[in-house]
Amino acid sequence: PENAWVTPCELFKPYYGYMISNFIANQMENLRLKKLKVLEIGPGTGTFADSMLDFFKNYNLDIYRECELYLVEISP
Protein backbone atom coordinates (compact mmCIF):
# COMPACT_ATOMS: atom_id res chain seq x y z
CA PRO A 1 0.00 0.00 0.00
CA GLU A 2 0.93 3.61 -0.46
CA ASN A 3 1.40 4.28 3.24
CA ALA A 4 3.13 0.99 4.07
CA TRP A 5 5.95 1.05 6.61
CA VAL A 6 8.83 -1.17 5.54
CA THR A 7 11.24 -2.26 8.26
CA PRO A 8 14.62 -3.99 8.06
CA CYS A 9 12.88 -7.20 9.20
CA GLU A 10 10.77 -7.15 6.06
CA LEU A 11 13.51 -5.96 3.71
CA PHE A 12 16.07 -8.55 4.79
CA LYS A 13 13.80 -11.45 5.79
CA PRO A 14 14.82 -13.87 7.24
CA TYR A 15 18.44 -12.79 7.72
CA TYR A 16 17.78 -9.75 9.91
CA GLY A 17 15.75 -11.84 12.35
CA TYR A 18 18.35 -14.62 12.16
CA MET A 19 21.15 -12.21 13.05
CA ILE A 20 19.35 -10.87 16.11
CA SER A 21 18.29 -14.36 17.16
CA ASN A 22 21.86 -15.63 16.87
CA PHE A 23 23.02 -12.74 19.08
CA ILE A 24 20.32 -13.60 21.63
CA ALA A 25 21.33 -17.28 21.61
CA ASN A 26 24.99 -16.37 22.14
CA GLN A 27 24.14 -14.01 25.01
CA MET A 28 21.93 -16.63 26.63
CA GLU A 29 24.78 -19.14 26.43
CA ASN A 30 27.31 -16.64 27.84
CA LEU A 31 25.00 -15.72 30.71
CA ARG A 32 23.84 -19.32 31.23
CA LEU A 33 20.19 -18.39 30.76
CA LYS A 34 17.72 -21.18 30.02
CA LYS A 35 14.47 -19.43 29.20
CA LEU A 36 13.74 -16.61 26.76
CA LYS A 37 10.81 -14.23 27.10
CA VAL A 38 10.27 -11.81 24.23
CA LEU A 39 7.93 -8.82 24.18
CA GLU A 40 7.57 -7.32 20.72
CA ILE A 41 5.74 -4.01 20.59
CA GLY A 42 4.25 -3.27 17.20
CA PRO A 43 4.90 -6.59 15.45
CA GLY A 44 2.89 -5.61 12.37
CA THR A 45 2.53 -8.75 10.29
CA GLY A 46 4.87 -10.73 12.55
CA THR A 47 7.86 -10.81 10.20
CA PHE A 48 10.46 -10.58 12.95
CA ALA A 49 8.71 -13.12 15.20
CA ASP A 50 8.46 -15.53 12.27
CA SER A 51 12.18 -15.23 11.47
CA MET A 52 13.19 -15.48 15.13
CA LEU A 53 11.13 -18.60 15.78
CA ASP A 54 12.33 -20.15 12.52
CA PHE A 55 15.94 -19.58 13.55
CA PHE A 56 15.49 -21.13 16.97
CA LYS A 57 13.49 -24.05 15.57
CA ASN A 58 16.26 -24.84 13.09
CA TYR A 59 19.40 -23.94 15.05
CA ASN A 60 18.59 -24.04 18.77
CA LEU A 61 15.65 -26.26 19.57
CA ASP A 62 16.11 -25.87 23.35
CA ILE A 63 15.45 -22.13 23.16
CA TYR A 64 12.56 -22.71 20.74
CA ARG A 65 10.87 -25.12 23.14
CA GLU A 66 11.21 -22.81 26.15
CA CYS A 67 10.60 -19.46 24.44
CA GLU A 68 7.63 -17.29 25.43
CA LEU A 69 6.60 -14.70 22.84
CA TYR A 70 4.25 -11.82 23.58
CA LEU A 71 3.06 -9.49 20.82
CA VAL A 72 1.44 -6.12 21.51
CA GLU A 73 -0.31 -4.58 18.49
CA ILE A 74 -2.88 -1.78 18.41
CA SER A 75 -3.55 -1.78 14.67
CA PRO A 76 -6.51 -3.80 13.38
Side-chain angles (χ1 to χ4, degrees), residues 51-64:
S51 296
M52 180 188 69
L53 292 173
D54 185 56
F55 177 86
F56 290 136
K57 185 176 179 182
N58 290 312
Y59 300 105
N60 197 319
L61 203 50
D62 291 336
I63 293 176
Y64 179 79

Side-chain angles (χ1 to χ4, degrees), residues 20-21 24-25 28 35-41 43 48-50 52-53 56 63 66-72:
I20 292 173
S21 301
I24 290 170
M28 288 182 69
K35 189 164 189 172
L36 175 65
K37 291 183 181 182
V38 177
L39 170 63
E40 185 176 1
I41 299 172
F48 174 75
D50 181 50
M52 180 188 69
L53 292 173
F56 290 136
I63 293 176
E66 295 295 323
C67 179
E68 290 183 24
L69 176 62
Y70 301 92
L71 307 173
V72 177

